[in-house]
Amino acid sequence: MEEFVVLVNPEDEVIGLMEKQQAHVNGLLHRAFSVFLFNSKGEMLLQKRASGKYHSPNQWTNAVCSHPRQGETYKEGAIRRLKEELGIEAELSEKFNFIYKADVGGGLWEHELDHVFVGHHEDDFNLNKDEVEEVRFIAPQDLDKEIAEHPEKFTEWFKIILEEYKHHF
């Protein structure tokens, strides 16, 4: 099934739809969301992208990053993808949004108006192995050290979104 992203201008006004991979080839601005999940110890959940992903396979990133569908709110999309990728439900609150552009290799670009959500989760996961290889929780200071020592193990957009997240908290 072809997936489409919602193309927008910087004011988040819809200007069209485009097949997801084509939007990434063209580097066109589109709607996206990112979810950061934490446990009661304040550790952040990371997911390792599945090896079959068409870009950034086997790289670590935040709990969920994806795109709302046409007619779906950012939060509805985030809740849907938590279920589809991690097999969980969590209360989410939107913290901020911003625009970024990242070269993700292979002639592909993420150029997104990204709405960032935060939630908490303690229980088990039911991972969709087509999407997620594995998950783990990590303390913020350990994450910073790991990214500094091995930046290639993390998605380009996660490094950008994490820095933006730090500026807001």
Side-chain angles (χ1 to χ4, degrees):
M1 180 179 94
E2 274 192 326
E3 278 191 64
F4 289 83
V5 294
V6 179
L7 302 177
V8 292
N9 65 20
E11 289 73 45
D12 199 19
E13 297 166 336
V14 177
I15 57 174
L17 292 175
M18 183 173 280
E19 190 277 322
K20 181 172 74 171
Q21 191 165 353
Q22 191 60 49
H24 290 149
V25 168
N26 294 344
L28 298 177
L29 182 63
H30 56 276
R31 287 182 172 167
F33 52 80
S34 298
V35 178
F36 286 84
L37 290 179
F38 296 89
N39 64 17
S40 58
K41 298 180 205 170
E43 296 169 323
M44 180 186 290
L45 181 76
L46 298 180
Q47 74 148 274
K48 187 175 189 181
R49 289 170 56 84
S51 58
K53 299 295 275 182
Y54 75 90
H55 73 77
S56 310
N58 296 313
Q59 287 186 311
W60 290 99
T61 197
N62 52 295
V64 169
C65 290
S66 193
H67 310 94
R69 293 177 175 154
Q70 182 181 24
E72 184 177 57
T73 68
Y74 288 94
K75 188 171 187 176
E76 289 167 347
I79 291 168
R80 172 179 53 80
R81 289 305 286 173
L82 278 176
K83 191 76 168 156
E84 291 174 357
E85 292 185 25
L86 304 177
I88 64 167
E89 294 179 7
E91 285 294 318
L92 299 178
S93 58
E94 184 172 344
K95 297 301 182 184
F96 63 93
N97 65 75
F98 76 115
I99 294 173
Y100 74 91
K101 189 170 188 176
D103 182 347
V104 296
L108 302 174
W109 292 86
E110 287 287 8
H111 188 194
E112 298 184 332
L113 172 57
D114 192 30
H115 285 242
V116 178
F117 294 88
V118 173
H120 291 81
H121 187 75
E122 300 287 335
D123 302 322
D124 294 332
F125 298 90
N126 183 16
L127 303 181
N128 177 345
K129 292 297 192 169
D130 291 334
E131 298 286 338
V132 182
E133 202 72 30
E134 62 183 285
V135 295
R136 64 183 167 121
F137 282 100
I138 188 169
Q141 64 274 16
D142 295 336
L143 176 59
D144 290 341
K145 183 175 187 256
E146 204 171 308
I147 290 174
E149 292 175 357
H150 298 285
E152 73 284 357
K153 292 184 178 183
F154 297 87
T155 64
E156 290 304 315
W157 65 87
F158 174 55
K159 292 179 276 190
I160 293 168
I161 296 165
L162 182 60
E163 285 307 308
E164 189 69 21
Y165 178 86
K166 290 176 184 177
H167 291 314
H168 287 271
F169 298 98

